[in-house]
Amino acid sequence: MVSPAILCRTLIVAALAAILAFAPAQAQQIVVTTTVSWTYEAADTGFDDDTIDEQAALPDDEATADDADTDTDNGATRRYAPSGTLAALGHSRAKFGPFAVVDDATVRMAGDVTSATPRQFAAMLAAYPHLKRLEMIDCPGSLDEEANLILARAVRRAGLQTVVPSGGSVRSGAVELWLAGATRRAAPDAEFGVHSWADDTGREANDYPANDPVHAEYLSYYREMGMDDAKARAFYALTNSTPFDDVRYLTRDDMARFVTLN
């Protein structure tokens, strides 16, 4: 015998089933809403708020040899370590390879010249067209001599003054770069390190005959930077009197024998 409660419940279920069976089709549709959350991390661009990144400006440049502590000519290490202020280059607005822009008129340089440096220099001038002074703080030389001469001529065209401040040091190819200044300055304790060049086979300047055309490029460059022929030949002979794997240090007064200092 079925109890009245169970019978009532059975009838209710049957009635609901009958209603659903004859309800319109649209009444049976169920709408499902799916919420999707996207989570991502913003890429680290490496930009400071007030810094232009030279790699962004020059995406095709090869990485510079930041870890080099001597120049490509195997010997032009400086006689003394730069002061902390010089090593840090001070506060900079932007950096382009070895260049650090410190104000509208001044850029400081520390590091080697590489194949990328002329393009970095051009990008810097485009961003800061009013630069007037290139302070050479700790410049070992060049890892690409052709790029070094391209850069030097660009410095001359830009009309920049080249300065080696107190405690500053330029060696090897960086001396040619300093010579490119439209005007030049150097502190009494500025350091200039020179030595002979060497080619890919290891032959040095003095291994070639005096009348070999290989010497013409350097002599032409020195004349272009303001030396007369006699001084160009004397300076070239002086640099080549020191072997490639050694360095000879010159003073401000030594350099003044060959070019005008301001």
Side-chain angles (χ1 to χ4, degrees):
M1 184 174 181
V2 179
S3 69
I6 294 176
L7 179 60
C8 180
R9 188 164 55 236
T10 301
L11 291 174
I12 291 172
V13 171
L16 290 173
I19 293 171
L20 290 174
F22 292 99
Q26 62 268 25
Q28 299 181 52
Q29 293 179 352
I30 300 175
V31 178
V32 178
T33 301
T34 303
T35 301
V36 179
S37 298
W38 295 94
T39 303
Y40 64 94
E41 293 184 3
D44 182 5
T45 63
F47 281 69
D48 294 329
D49 291 340
D50 59 349
T51 300
I52 296 175
D53 187 283
E54 72 276 16
Q55 296 303 324
L58 305 165
D60 295 328
D61 285 345
E62 297 176 358
T64 58
D66 292 330
D67 57 347
D69 56 10
T70 60
D71 71 352
T72 188
D73 297 333
N74 295 330
T77 53
R78 62 182 301 160
R79 285 180 295 180
Y80 54 85
S83 69
T85 301
L86 291 181
L89 292 182
H91 175 74
S92 63
R93 293 185 179 182
K95 293 182 180 179
F96 298 81
F99 303 109
V101 177
V102 295
D103 57 45
D104 288 339
T106 306
V107 56
R108 291 176 178 162
M109 181 179 181
D112 292 299
V113 173
T114 72
S115 59
T117 311
R119 295 192 297 276
Q120 292 165 336
F121 181 79
M124 178 182 68
L125 286 186
Y128 295 90
H130 302 299
L131 291 172
K132 301 296 183 186
R133 183 170 54 257
L134 172 60
E135 295 183 357
M136 304 179 72
I137 306 300
D138 188 11
C139 303
S142 65
L143 303 178
D144 184 325
E145 187 61 17
E146 181 179 0
N148 192 55
L149 294 179
I150 290 171
L151 175 63
R153 291 183 169 100
V155 168
R156 174 58 65 93
R157 286 195 303 271
L160 296 184
Q161 179 185 67
T162 51
V163 180
V164 184
S166 179
S169 175
V170 296
R171 286 95 70 199
S172 190
V175 175
E176 273 78 27
L177 186 58
W178 175 80
L179 289 172
T183 58
R184 312 171 193 90
R185 290 175 53 201
D189 64 342
E191 178 177 276
F192 297 86
V194 299
H195 58 179
S196 173
W197 55 265
D199 64 18
D200 293 340
T201 68
R203 297 178 69 191
E204 300 187 18
N206 290 332
D207 294 326
Y208 287 84
N211 61 352
D212 194 290
V214 71
H215 303 298
E217 182 175 13
Y218 291 93
L219 292 171
S220 176
Y221 174 77
Y222 295 142
R223 289 192 292 265
E224 184 181 342
M225 294 303 126
M227 297 183 191
D228 60 28
D229 187 66
K231 288 182 179 179
R233 292 182 180 278
F235 185 72
Y236 187 57
L238 175 64
T239 62
N240 293 328
S241 66
T242 301
F244 171 76
D245 58 358
D246 200 353
V247 59
R248 176 173 181 171
Y249 288 102
L250 305 176
T251 66
R252 178 191 186 281
D253 291 341
D254 291 328
M255 298 304 298
R257 294 166 45 205
F258 301 99
V259 291
T260 300
L261 276 68
N262 301 92

